[in-house]
Amino acid sequence: MGIVVIGAVFVDIKGYPLSTYIPGGRNAGRVEQVHGGVCRNVAEDIANVELRPTFVSLVDDTGSGQDVIDKLARHKVNTRYIQRMPDGMGTWLAVFNNDGDVCASISKRPDTTPLTGLLKEKGDEIFADCDAIALELDLEKDTVKQVLHYAKKYNKKVFAAISNMSIAMERRDFLQQIDCFVCNQQEAGLLFSDDYDHLSPAAMREVLAANVHSANIPCMVVTMGGQGAVYARTNGESGVVPAKKVDVIDTTGAGDAFFAGTVIGLTYGKNLPASCEIG
């Protein structure tokens, strides 16, 4: 089964200005529509490095939903456990500035409740022989519980990311059952009720190490954009991983790609700093 990836599918509608972006003004630009969603992106990213992940999700019972399945299948993602149903996909509307950063967005989440039934029916088949599990933590609570049940039953590692931290904040107990949780600096601030935007990587590492220990979270990685990432475990291990130098075109999915690389490393024998390097 490779790595099993479980999460929602979105349609991303993205607007880019043709000239200097004016907040609150009318901006001429281009608009494009692409397949999105944290774990859909993660499944594709894992497949792009010649691995063969399995994606468990929902799509619309329309041509657009079939397009999602067909594209993933072309990347050699196992799409056997993607269910088609009305309104199975969410929508993410975003406007970008001239630096390729999101300056405004609105998200409409899909109803992912049917995934709970799918896992009850097919869970043993899906998880028994998988290499690890990558999970979107803000799925329905019962879905997350099902995943954690099968992970414990078959002794599989679970790695988690989120698309909406306000939902994940209500599930702190789940974080104690996950092998590694990955989020960005702003999301970490929301989780721990603090503002970390001003912190350097070295300071963020110290804060994260203390918070991971007090919250009894086994492992966390926090991305900091161009400053790299920091990581910490409850056993006291912590560190900073510098960012690679790249030309930024569009930051959409950068965190998802980092998560995919980190999951690949941790699944296939790399230590935490080396896994973050892959991310």
Side-chain angles (χ1 to χ4, degrees), residues 172-191:
R172 298 171 192 269
D173 56 324
F174 288 155
L175 292 177
Q176 298 174 355
Q177 304 174 59
I178 286 166
D179 292 271
C180 187
F181 175 56
V182 180
C183 67
N184 65 35
Q185 190 173 10
Q186 184 181 47
E187 291 162 344
L190 291 172
L191 179 64

PDB file of all heavy atoms in Angstrom, residues 172-191:
ATOM      1  N   ARG A 172      -6.431  18.537  20.775  1.00  0.00           N
ATOM      2  CA  ARG A 172      -5.086  18.445  21.315  1.00  0.00           C
ATOM      3  C   ARG A 172      -4.757  17.043  21.802  1.00  0.00           C
ATOM      4  O   ARG A 172      -3.603  16.621  21.767  1.00  0.00           O
ATOM      5  CB  ARG A 172      -4.910  19.455  22.452  1.00  0.00           C
ATOM      6  CG  ARG A 172      -5.077  20.900  22.006  1.00  0.00           C
ATOM      7  CD  ARG A 172      -5.122  21.841  23.199  1.00  0.00           C
ATOM      8  NE  ARG A 172      -5.553  23.174  22.806  1.00  0.00           N
ATOM      9  CZ  ARG A 172      -4.733  24.151  22.446  1.00  0.00           C
ATOM     10  NH1 ARG A 172      -3.439  23.947  22.424  1.00  0.00           N
ATOM     11  NH2 ARG A 172      -5.206  25.341  22.108  1.00  0.00           N
ATOM     12  N   ASP A 173      -5.789  16.312  22.270  1.00  0.00           N
ATOM     13  CA  ASP A 173      -5.538  14.948  22.750  1.00  0.00           C
ATOM     14  C   ASP A 173      -5.074  14.039  21.622  1.00  0.00           C
ATOM     15  O   ASP A 173      -4.289  13.117  21.837  1.00  0.00           O
ATOM     16  CB  ASP A 173      -6.789  14.378  23.430  1.00  0.00           C
ATOM     17  CG  ASP A 173      -8.017  14.406  22.530  1.00  0.00           C
ATOM     18  OD1 ASP A 173      -8.159  15.372  21.753  1.00  0.00           O
ATOM     19  OD2 ASP A 173      -8.833  13.478  22.613  1.00  0.00           O
ATOM     20  N   PHE A 174      -5.546  14.304  20.389  1.00  0.00           N
ATOM     21  CA  PHE A 174      -5.103  13.500  19.247  1.00  0.00           C
ATOM     22  C   PHE A 174      -3.611  13.685  18.984  1.00  0.00           C
ATOM     23  O   PHE A 174      -2.928  12.759  18.549  1.00  0.00           O
ATOM     24  CB  PHE A 174      -5.881  13.877  17.981  1.00  0.00           C
ATOM     25  CG  PHE A 174      -7.314  13.408  17.977  1.00  0.00           C
ATOM     26  CD1 PHE A 174      -8.265  14.065  17.210  1.00  0.00           C
ATOM     27  CD2 PHE A 174      -7.717  12.318  18.733  1.00  0.00           C
ATOM     28  CE1 PHE A 174      -9.582  13.647  17.187  1.00  0.00           C
ATOM     29  CE2 PHE A 174      -9.034  11.890  18.723  1.00  0.00           C
ATOM     30  CZ  PHE A 174      -9.976  12.554  17.947  1.00  0.00           C
ATOM     31  N   LEU A 175      -3.105  14.899  19.225  1.00  0.00           N
ATOM     32  CA  LEU A 175      -1.694  15.182  18.960  1.00  0.00           C
ATOM     33  C   LEU A 175      -0.773  14.308  19.804  1.00  0.00           C
ATOM     34  O   LEU A 175       0.358  14.029  19.409  1.00  0.00           O
ATOM     35  CB  LEU A 175      -1.389  16.655  19.227  1.00  0.00           C
ATOM     36  CG  LEU A 175      -2.021  17.663  18.259  1.00  0.00           C
ATOM     37  CD1 LEU A 175      -1.701  19.084  18.697  1.00  0.00           C
ATOM     38  CD2 LEU A 175      -1.556  17.415  16.840  1.00  0.00           C
ATOM     39  N   GLN A 176      -1.248  13.871  20.952  1.00  0.00           N
ATOM     40  CA  GLN A 176      -0.441  13.020  21.825  1.00  0.00           C
ATOM     41  C   GLN A 176      -0.346  11.589  21.296  1.00  0.00           C
ATOM     42  O   GLN A 176       0.464  10.801  21.773  1.00  0.00           O
ATOM     43  CB  GLN A 176      -1.025  13.024  23.238  1.00  0.00           C
ATOM     44  CG  GLN A 176      -1.030  14.402  23.881  1.00  0.00           C
ATOM     45  CD  GLN A 176      -1.742  14.431  25.217  1.00  0.00           C
ATOM     46  OE1 GLN A 176      -2.327  13.441  25.659  1.00  0.00           O
ATOM     47  NE2 GLN A 176      -1.699  15.573  25.889  1.00  0.00           N
ATOM     48  N   GLN A 177      -1.183  11.263  20.290  1.00  0.00           N
ATOM     49  CA  GLN A 177      -1.207   9.910  19.731  1.00  0.00           C
ATOM     50  C   GLN A 177      -0.574   9.850  18.340  1.00  0.00           C
ATOM     51  O   GLN A 177      -0.634   8.818  17.676  1.00  0.00           O
ATOM     52  CB  GLN A 177      -2.657   9.410  19.640  1.00  0.00           C
ATOM     53  CG  GLN A 177      -3.406   9.447  20.959  1.00  0.00           C
ATOM     54  CD  GLN A 177      -4.870   9.093  20.772  1.00  0.00           C
ATOM     55  OE1 GLN A 177      -5.211   8.001  20.300  1.00  0.00           O
ATOM     56  NE2 GLN A 177      -5.752  10.001  21.146  1.00  0.00           N
ATOM     57  N   ILE A 178       0.027  10.959  17.916  1.00  0.00           N
ATOM     58  CA  ILE A 178       0.577  11.057  16.561  1.00  0.00           C
ATOM     59  C   ILE A 178       2.099  11.104  16.628  1.00  0.00           C
ATOM     60  O   ILE A 178       2.667  11.742  17.505  1.00  0.00           O
ATOM     61  CB  ILE A 178      -0.002  12.294  15.858  1.00  0.00           C
ATOM     62  CG1 ILE A 178      -1.458  11.995  15.477  1.00  0.00           C
ATOM     63  CG2 ILE A 178       0.802  12.690  14.633  1.00  0.00           C
ATOM     64  CD1 ILE A 178      -2.256  13.182  15.084  1.00  0.00           C
ATOM     65  N   ASP A 179       2.752  10.409  15.721  1.00  0.00           N
ATOM     66  CA  ASP A 179       4.219  10.305  15.757  1.00  0.00           C
ATOM     67  C   ASP A 179       4.903  11.625  15.437  1.00  0.00           C
ATOM     68  O   ASP A 179       5.956  11.923  15.996  1.00  0.00           O
ATOM     69  CB  ASP A 179       4.680   9.207  14.787  1.00  0.00           C
ATOM     70  CG  ASP A 179       4.258   7.824  15.269  1.00  0.00           C
ATOM     71  OD1 ASP A 179       5.023   7.210  16.023  1.00  0.00           O
ATOM     72  OD2 ASP A 179       3.149   7.385  14.919  1.00  0.00           O
ATOM     73  N   CYS A 180       4.334  12.417  14.526  1.00  0.00           N
ATOM     74  CA  CYS A 180       4.908  13.729  14.240  1.00  0.00           C
ATOM     75  C   CYS A 180       3.830  14.626  13.649  1.00  0.00           C
ATOM     76  O   CYS A 180       3.093  14.222  12.744  1.00  0.00           O
ATOM     77  CB  CYS A 180       6.089  13.617  13.266  1.00  0.00           C
ATOM     78  SG  CYS A 180       6.977  15.182  13.030  1.00  0.00           S
ATOM     79  N   PHE A 181       3.748  15.851  14.170  1.00  0.00           N
ATOM     80  CA  PHE A 181       2.781  16.847  13.708  1.00  0.00           C
ATOM     81  C   PHE A 181       3.545  17.996  13.073  1.00  0.00           C
ATOM     82  O   PHE A 181       4.499  18.515  13.656  1.00  0.00           O
ATOM     83  CB  PHE A 181       1.938  17.336  14.881  1.00  0.00           C
ATOM     84  CG  PHE A 181       0.986  18.450  14.533  1.00  0.00           C
ATOM     85  CD1 PHE A 181       0.067  18.293  13.514  1.00  0.00           C
ATOM     86  CD2 PHE A 181       1.012  19.647  15.229  1.00  0.00           C
ATOM     87  CE1 PHE A 181      -0.821  19.320  13.184  1.00  0.00           C
ATOM     88  CE2 PHE A 181       0.137  20.677  14.912  1.00  0.00           C
ATOM     89  CZ  PHE A 181      -0.786  20.505  13.889  1.00  0.00           C
ATOM     90  N   VAL A 182       3.131  18.378  11.866  1.00  0.00           N
ATOM     91  CA  VAL A 182       3.814  19.435  11.121  1.00  0.00           C
ATOM     92  C   VAL A 182       2.850  20.597  10.883  1.00  0.00           C
ATOM     93  O   VAL A 182       1.723  20.387  10.414  1.00  0.00           O
ATOM     94  CB  VAL A 182       4.343  18.910   9.766  1.00  0.00           C
ATOM     95  CG1 VAL A 182       5.045  20.027   8.994  1.00  0.00           C
ATOM     96  CG2 VAL A 182       5.293  17.738   9.978  1.00  0.00           C
ATOM     97  N   CYS A 183       3.283  21.821  11.211  1.00  0.00           N
ATOM     98  CA  CYS A 183       2.473  23.003  10.937  1.00  0.00           C
ATOM     99  C   CYS A 183       3.408  24.190  10.710  1.00  0.00           C
ATOM    100  O   CYS A 183       4.628  24.059  10.847  1.00  0.00           O
ATOM    101  CB  CYS A 183       1.499  23.285  12.079  1.00  0.00           C
ATOM    102  SG  CYS A 183       2.271  23.773  13.630  1.00  0.00           S
ATOM    103  N   ASN A 184       2.842  25.351  10.386  1.00  0.00           N
ATOM    104  CA  ASN A 184       3.693  26.516  10.201  1.00  0.00           C
ATOM    105  C   ASN A 184       3.750  27.360  11.470  1.00  0.00           C
ATOM    106  O   ASN A 184       3.078  27.068  12.461  1.00  0.00           O
ATOM    107  CB  ASN A 184       3.257  27.337   8.972  1.00  0.00           C
ATOM    108  CG  ASN A 184       1.869  27.949   9.120  1.00  0.00           C
ATOM    109  OD1 ASN A 184       1.451  28.360  10.205  1.00  0.00           O
ATOM    110  ND2 ASN A 184       1.149  28.036   8.004  1.00  0.00           N
ATOM    111  N   GLN A 185       4.545  28.409  11.429  1.00  0.00           N
ATOM    112  CA  GLN A 185       4.823  29.224  12.609  1.00  0.00           C
ATOM    113  C   GLN A 185       3.560  29.900  13.155  1.00  0.00           C
ATOM    114  O   GLN A 185       3.318  29.921  14.365  1.00  0.00           O
ATOM    115  CB  GLN A 185       5.867  30.287  12.242  1.00  0.00           C
ATOM    116  CG  GLN A 185       6.435  31.068  13.408  1.00  0.00           C
ATOM    117  CD  GLN A 185       7.577  31.975  12.959  1.00  0.00           C
ATOM    118  OE1 GLN A 185       7.811  32.146  11.770  1.00  0.00           O
ATOM    119  NE2 GLN A 185       8.299  32.541  13.905  1.00  0.00           N
ATOM    120  N   GLN A 186       2.735  30.424  12.250  1.00  0.00           N
ATOM    121  CA  GLN A 186       1.496  31.081  12.673  1.00  0.00           C
ATOM    122  C   GLN A 186       0.542  30.079  13.308  1.00  0.00           C
ATOM    123  O   GLN A 186      -0.096  30.356  14.333  1.00  0.00           O
ATOM    124  CB  GLN A 186       0.834  31.770  11.485  1.00  0.00           C
ATOM    125  CG  GLN A 186      -0.413  32.562  11.849  1.00  0.00           C
ATOM    126  CD  GLN A 186      -1.055  33.210  10.636  1.00  0.00           C
ATOM    127  OE1 GLN A 186      -1.242  32.563   9.592  1.00  0.00           O
ATOM    128  NE2 GLN A 186      -1.377  34.489  10.751  1.00  0.00           N
ATOM    129  N   GLU A 187       0.452  28.893  12.701  1.00  0.00           N
ATOM    130  CA  GLU A 187      -0.433  27.852  13.240  1.00  0.00           C
ATOM    131  C   GLU A 187       0.034  27.376  14.610  1.00  0.00           C
ATOM    132  O   GLU A 187      -0.777  27.111  15.501  1.00  0.00           O
ATOM    133  CB  GLU A 187      -0.506  26.684  12.254  1.00  0.00           C
ATOM    134  CG  GLU A 187      -1.243  27.034  10.972  1.00  0.00           C
ATOM    135  CD  GLU A 187      -0.967  26.077   9.828  1.00  0.00           C
ATOM    136  OE1 GLU A 187       0.018  25.301   9.903  1.00  0.00           O
ATOM    137  OE2 GLU A 187      -1.725  26.105   8.849  1.00  0.00           O
ATOM    138  N   ALA A 188       1.353  27.278  14.795  1.00  0.00           N
ATOM    139  CA  ALA A 188       1.890  26.897  16.099  1.00  0.00           C
ATOM    140  C   ALA A 188       1.509  27.929  17.159  1.00  0.00           C
ATOM    141  O   ALA A 188       1.190  27.585  18.307  1.00  0.00           O
ATOM    142  CB  ALA A 188       3.407  26.748  16.025  1.00  0.00           C
ATOM    143  N   GLY A 189       1.527  29.207  16.781  1.00  0.00           N
ATOM    144  CA  GLY A 189       1.113  30.254  17.701  1.00  0.00           C
ATOM    145  C   GLY A 189      -0.336  30.104  18.119  1.00  0.00           C
ATOM    146  O   GLY A 189      -0.690  30.271  19.298  1.00  0.00           O
ATOM    147  N   LEU A 190      -1.207  29.761  17.162  1.00  0.00           N
ATOM    148  CA  LEU A 190      -2.614  29.533  17.485  1.00  0.00           C
ATOM    149  C   LEU A 190      -2.769  28.333  18.418  1.00  0.00           C
ATOM    150  O   LEU A 190      -3.536  28.373  19.390  1.00  0.00           O
ATOM    151  CB  LEU A 190      -3.419  29.292  16.204  1.00  0.00           C
ATOM    152  CG  LEU A 190      -3.598  30.500  15.279  1.00  0.00           C
ATOM    153  CD1 LEU A 190      -4.234  30.065  13.963  1.00  0.00           C
ATOM    154  CD2 LEU A 190      -4.469  31.559  15.956  1.00  0.00           C
ATOM    155  N   LEU A 191      -2.025  27.271  18.132  1.00  0.00           N
ATOM    156  CA  LEU A 191      -2.122  26.056  18.942  1.00  0.00           C
ATOM    157  C   LEU A 191      -1.733  26.316  20.388  1.00  0.00           C
ATOM    158  O   LEU A 191      -2.385  25.823  21.316  1.00  0.00           O
ATOM    159  CB  LEU A 191      -1.237  24.959  18.343  1.00  0.00           C
ATOM    160  CG  LEU A 191      -1.206  23.621  19.088  1.00  0.00           C
ATOM    161  CD1 LEU A 191      -2.582  22.958  19.066  1.00  0.00           C
ATOM    162  CD2 LEU A 191      -0.163  22.697  18.477  1.00  0.00           C
TER     163      LEU A 191
END
